[in-house]
Amino acid sequence: MNEIVQPASFDLQAARRPDGERPQPARHEAARADDAREAEFRSVRLPSDHPQVRAGRLGVLIMNLGTPEATSYWPMRAYLREFLSDKRVIETPRWLWWPILNLIILQTRPKKKGRDYDLIWNKERDEGPLKTITRSQAEQAQARLREIAGDRVVVDWAMRYGKPAVKPALENLLAQGCDRILLVPMYPQYSAATSATACDKAFEALMTMRWQPSVRVAPPYHDDPVYIEALADSMRKELAKLDFEPEMILTSFHGVPRKYLLQGDPYHCHCAKTSRLLRETLGWPKERWMLTFQSRFGPDEWLQPYTDETVKGLAEKGVKRLAIVAPGFSADCLETLEELDGENREIFEHNGGEQFAYLPCLNDSEEGMRVIDHVVARELQGWL
């Protein structure tokens, strides 16, 4: 009878510790088991006319929202058209939405949003900051995994809207022999308009494949202690850099229509829990901490309180020192750099506020990579 090899536990953070305290044999045993599996696959004698195939590797696909290819009218229009055509994002009946989208929004909004994107554009790489940061997150994750697992794990990245697209990224992983793939939507709080639509795009691609990989999806991590502590550590660092102490801190999350909550979307609850756990971890007083929602669009009621109205109201009431953080964004983008640090800064200062700070997202920082390492390592258990 063949011996059954149990999968060893995989702890990326512990395995990378420089102090050498973590014993290594379990990891080496798992690596040998994986190598044996690939060697067995490659040793099968195939007919001379058999197509070349690769298998036995693991893939990790980091997925974020997306960014236009340029800030001019037509690239912006293409991006907005794809984004606003998604039924997960806009649930308005198509017969009503299509005329509004094509005859009104796509005629005027690309120019305005193009100007906004131009304010935050990475001129050196000629791309949006979300693309720059997501690429770096994937590259760092690949380098860290290579230290532990060699070339057994391949990390790639994709955008739900725009490029690089999800389907080519999945095909690239398959071409490199990844017959098991972990999808990692970079949204700490789940929403159908973010996490679900990213997975929809991946599943849509899988439907066209003859040889589908086995797939896992990393769940939301809104209350994961590693994520909360990373946010707290990042905020402590950023607050220590300020020459003032905020009278109030706002945790601002991207909004969604209120009807999504009433229809069962857990997003609001996830945001509220993240905000509460972060406040408790920092030990910040309740009366100096608020949860708000930004980026509303259209005439419907969205999750409240609204960030811009709250900022205006606080300034009018005499709050002079304000800080905003955006825990729902894994990387800085238009909604944080231009809307929070730009528009809301102006709102605050024009209504009597004096000192304003936007605290950056986790991005590809040490704290941000700690979260990604943790989520990936946790979800690869049993595979690696």
Side-chain angles (χ1 to χ4, degrees), residues 140-311:
Q140 289 195 53
Q142 177 70 86
R144 291 162 184 250
L145 282 166
R146 187 174 291 116
E147 295 178 16
I148 308 305
D151 65 352
R152 298 290 300 151
V153 182
V154 182
V155 181
D156 205 346
W157 60 286
M159 297 294 181
R160 168 58 183 89
Y161 312 103
K163 297 177 181 179
V166 172
K167 184 177 181 180
L170 285 172
E171 291 172 340
N172 176 54
L173 290 173
L174 285 170
Q176 296 186 66
C178 299
D179 53 18
R180 290 169 289 176
I181 296 176
L182 170 65
L183 306 177
V184 187
M186 294 298 289
Y187 309 106
Q189 298 78 26
Y190 174 93
S191 174
T194 53
S195 306
T197 190
C199 291
D200 286 348
K201 203 65 177 177
F203 300 152
E204 180 183 294
L206 292 171
M207 289 174 64
T208 68
M209 296 176 181
R210 180 167 297 280
W211 185 358
Q212 287 184 336
S214 297
V215 174
R216 290 178 178 173
V217 178
Y221 47 94
H222 64 286
D223 58 356
D224 190 297
V226 173
Y227 162 65
I228 298 298
E229 191 58 45
L231 287 173
D233 287 347
S234 178
M235 286 187 65
R236 290 186 188 103
K237 287 183 179 180
E238 295 301 324
L239 289 170
K241 296 177 184 178
L242 302 180
D243 59 0
F244 67 93
E245 180 179 307
E247 298 171 63
M248 183 71 69
I249 288 181
L250 300 189
T251 53
S252 181
F253 295 82
H254 199 293
V256 297
R258 185 172 181 271
K259 65 181 179 182
Y260 293 6
L261 167 65
L262 302 179
Q263 293 168 349
D265 197 304
Y267 180 70
H268 179 273
C269 300
H270 285 188
C271 295
K273 190 170 186 181
T274 295
S275 182
R276 175 178 62 80
L277 291 174
L278 181 55
R279 181 189 61 77
E280 292 174 350
T281 300
L282 290 170
W284 203 267
K286 286 185 179 180
E287 62 273 13
R288 295 173 59 193
W289 188 278
M290 293 186 69
L291 164 68
T292 62
F293 296 92
Q294 63 183 87
S295 310
R296 64 188 183 277
F297 176 77
D300 292 342
E301 179 185 0
W302 282 44
L303 295 179
Q304 295 193 39
Y306 300 138
T307 298
D308 55 355
E309 292 183 0
T310 301
V311 168

Side-chain angles (χ1 to χ4, degrees), residues 50-116:
H50 194 283
Q52 183 178 2
V53 293
R54 300 185 67 186
R57 304 176 83 186
L58 309 179
V60 176
L61 184 61
I62 292 175
M63 298 187 292
N64 217 317
L65 184 77
T67 179
E69 290 301 294
T71 62
S72 54
Y73 176 82
W74 288 108
M76 282 302 313
R77 179 187 170 96
Y79 173 73
L80 290 172
R81 181 180 178 83
E82 182 182 11
F83 177 51
L84 297 175
S85 296
D86 188 346
K87 294 181 181 180
R88 290 280 199 181
V89 174
I90 305 294
E91 296 185 2
T92 304
R94 298 296 95 173
W95 64 266
L96 176 61
W97 177 241
W98 282 122
I100 297 174
L101 175 63
N102 289 283
L103 300 179
I104 302 175
I105 294 174
L106 293 180
Q107 301 302 317
T108 59
R109 196 168 178 84
K111 290 183 179 179
K112 178 182 183 301
K113 300 310 292 184
R115 289 192 295 268
D116 291 342

